[in-house]
Amino acid sequence: GRLWFAARLYPAARDAVRAIALPLAVGGIGLAALLAFGSYTTLAVVALVAIAAFTAAVALALTPQERRDARVLLRRPGRIRAVLKGEPA
């Protein structure tokens, strides 16, 4: 509701809303799917699939520069502190 409203009233937010729509939908579907299963084994498999799908959706939503930065941070996690201070990845 709020995201749609923000996109309608503030055009600059439209691109951001479009970018996060898929990860939000995939994450919500993954969480809802977890409610449907009772056994721990099935629950673990569904959780792993949901996490993989969410990760893929997030990767698709990133810009090329964000993907490069994420790769650097995955290789050198110690750089996260510097990035949070505003330094480049």
Side-chain angles (χ1 to χ4, degrees):
R2 287 183 183 175
L3 286 177
W4 177 85
F5 201 62
R8 295 286 294 165
L9 292 178
Y10 186 57
R14 190 172 295 132
D15 292 336
V17 170
R18 283 187 186 136
I20 65 170
L22 180 63
L24 283 175
V26 170
I29 291 167
L31 288 174
L34 292 174
L35 297 174
F37 299 98
S39 78
Y40 289 119
T41 305
T42 306
L43 191 61
V45 170
V46 171
L48 289 173
V49 170
I51 290 168
F54 179 74
T55 302
V58 168
L60 288 173
L62 295 176
T63 64
Q65 180 61 46
E66 291 169 336
R67 279 191 211 106
R68 281 190 294 277
D69 291 346
R71 272 189 240 112
V72 169
L73 292 175
L74 286 171
R75 277 187 252 131
R76 298 178 57 207
R79 294 284 309 148
I80 291 173
R81 191 171 284 152
V83 170
L84 292 174
K85 291 180 183 177
E87 298 175 21

